[in-house]
Amino acid sequence: MMNTNEVAIRCGEHAFTRLQKLLPQQDRLLPKIYQNEDQYIIYWESIHWFESSDKREAELVRAFNRAFDYLEECPFDQDGNILPGYDFESIIAEADSDDYQYRSNDFKSVIWLEKKIHLPENLKELSPETGEETNTYMVAFLSGTTPCINLAISKTKERVKKYFLDDLNVAEKDFISVRLAMEDDKRPGIPVHHIPEYPYVLHIEYSWGDREPDQKFSTKEDAWKKAMSTAMTEADTASDEKEDGTAEIIIEKAKSEISLVYPKSAEENSFCRYYITKEKGE
C-alpha cells in the first residue's frame, strides 16, 4: 500500500508563478492556495509524492521536483544572493510516520513540521491554580495616581491581566497585583468583570439573507485561520459548481473581514461575508 503525503510549499511571487503553471486544471490534484503579504503557500493535505500508480500524479510530482532543482540552483545574482521573489521551501511529510523531506533555497523558515497530541473534544478547561472551572481574582492598579481595586472572573491570572491590558487599557507600569480573591474582598461597590472565555466571534453572512451559526474562539488568530480556511473551501466548491467558475476572494485583514464573490453564473452580485468581532467582558 502506497503511503500518502502531506505537502506544503512556501514561495515568493516569481517562484509561485513558475509552480502554479505546473498545476492541472479542474482536477483532484489541485492543492489549496494561500497568500500572506508577498508569500504564497501551496498545500496538499493528501497526495502520493514519492510513489504513485496515477500517471498524472506522478508527472505532477516530477514537474515540481524539476522546478525545485531549478530554484535551488539558478535564481541567484553574481554575489550568490537569491533574486527577489524566487525564494521557496517545501516540506513533504509521511502521513503515518515521522519521516519527511525538506528543501529550500533561502535561510528563512516559515513552515515547519510539528508533532501534536490530540486530546478528546469538548473538554472543560480548569484553572491550574485551583482545579476549578473559574476563579475570582482581585486586581490592583493605578489610575493616574489613584489606587483602584477591581474583581475579575476568569480561569487564569494570565487571562485577567491580558484583559486589563488590552480591553481596559491599563498600562503595564500601572499594575500593582493580580491575586485570587478572598471572601472578604467581595464587597459592594467593587467593579466585577466577567471575562469571556472565547471572546472572538466569527460571523458568516450571505447576501441573500442566510447566515451560519456564530463560531467562538479564544484568540483572534484562531478565528482568522478558520475564516480563511472556510472561505477558501467555499470558493473552491463554488468554482467547481458553476460554468464560469471564477470565485473572487477579497481579504481585508486590518478589518478582520473576508468577502467571497460568487462566480458570475451564480445569482447576480451574490457574495458571502466573513468577519470577526470581539465580545467585551461584562
Side-chain angles (χ1 to χ4, degrees):
M1 182 176 177
M2 292 177 291
N3 288 332
T4 59
N5 303 96
E6 182 181 10
V7 177
I9 305 163
R10 184 268 301 171
C11 46
E13 181 181 359
H14 298 308
F16 173 73
T17 299
R18 176 175 287 267
L19 294 173
Q20 187 187 31
K21 291 177 180 177
L22 305 176
L23 297 173
Q25 298 299 312
Q26 299 300 322
D27 191 278
R28 68 170 184 84
L29 297 175
L30 283 172
K32 293 182 179 179
I33 304 291
Y34 304 101
Q35 182 182 10
N36 181 7
E37 297 178 349
D38 62 344
Q39 294 288 300
Y40 295 80
I41 300 291
I42 300 172
Y43 175 75
W44 283 275
E45 185 176 12
S46 179
I47 187 172
H48 294 95
W49 195 267
F50 295 112
E51 55 177 345
S52 176
S53 58
D54 185 313
K55 291 182 179 179
R56 289 189 302 162
E57 190 173 50
E59 180 51 38
L60 174 68
V61 172
R62 283 194 293 269
F64 265 72
N65 282 328
R66 287 194 295 268
F68 292 166
D69 292 341
Y70 170 86
L71 292 170
E72 286 179 336
E73 297 172 7
C74 298
F76 298 86
D77 62 22
Q78 59 185 5
D79 296 322
N81 299 313
I82 190 167
L83 297 176
Y86 283 92
D87 51 303
F88 96 101
E89 63 175 334
S90 68
I91 295 178
I92 298 97
E94 291 279 359
D96 299 318
S97 76
D98 294 332
D99 294 335
Y100 70 96
Q101 180 192 89
Y102 180 85
R103 298 181 69 171
S104 178
N105 64 1
D106 67 357
F107 297 102
K108 290 188 294 185
S109 180
V110 179
I111 57 176
W112 61 88
L113 196 64
E114 182 178 68
K115 183 181 254 186
K116 290 187 176 181
I117 295 175
H118 294 277
L119 301 177
E121 296 181 356
N122 302 319
L123 296 174
K124 287 184 178 180
E125 184 180 353
L126 304 180
S127 164
E129 297 169 298
T130 63
E132 301 294 332
E133 194 170 348
T134 58
N135 298 317
T136 302
Y137 293 89
M138 191 172 90
V139 184
F141 60 94
L142 292 174
S143 178
T145 58
T146 305
C148 296
I149 298 294
N150 282 199
L151 296 177
I153 298 173
S154 184
K155 285 187 172 67
T156 67
K157 184 183 298 183
E158 289 72 21
R159 294 186 189 192
V160 171
K161 190 169 183 180
K162 190 174 188 306
Y163 171 80
F164 274 77
L165 287 170
D166 297 346
D167 290 48
L168 300 187
N169 299 315
V170 175
E172 179 77 44
K173 64 181 178 59
D174 292 331
F175 259 97
I176 299 172
S177 67
V178 180
R179 64 167 174 80
L180 286 170
M182 307 297 181
E183 281 304 314
D184 57 1
D185 292 322
K186 303 173 185 179
R187 299 191 297 273
I190 297 180
V192 180
H193 304 269
H194 295 262
I195 300 174
E197 187 65 25
Y198 301 100
Y200 294 96
V201 184
L202 171 59
H203 310 271
I204 303 176
E205 299 176 351
Y206 300 92
S207 55
W208 52 87
D210 292 345
R211 60 182 298 160
E212 303 289 346
D214 290 343
Q215 301 176 56
K216 295 188 176 184
F217 300 85
S218 58
T219 68
K220 188 175 183 180
E221 181 184 16
D222 288 343
W224 182 252
K225 285 181 179 177
K226 182 64 176 180
M228 284 285 289
S229 65
T230 305
M232 291 291 184
T233 301
E234 177 70 2
D236 183 53
T237 301
S239 296
D240 281 343
E241 290 175 348
K242 304 300 177 182
E243 288 182 15
D244 183 4
T246 304
E248 181 182 5
I249 290 181
I250 303 167
I251 298 174
E252 298 180 82
K253 194 164 186 180
K255 295 170 61 177
S256 301
E257 185 170 325
I258 300 171
S259 296
L260 166 62
V261 182
Y262 286 97
K264 293 178 182 177
S265 53
E267 183 181 343
E268 190 68 24
N269 298 321
S270 59
F271 63 89
C272 181
R273 179 176 173 234
Y274 307 77
Y275 64 98
I276 298 166
T277 60
K278 185 177 181 182
E279 291 184 347
K280 301 291 186 182
E282 300 174 3

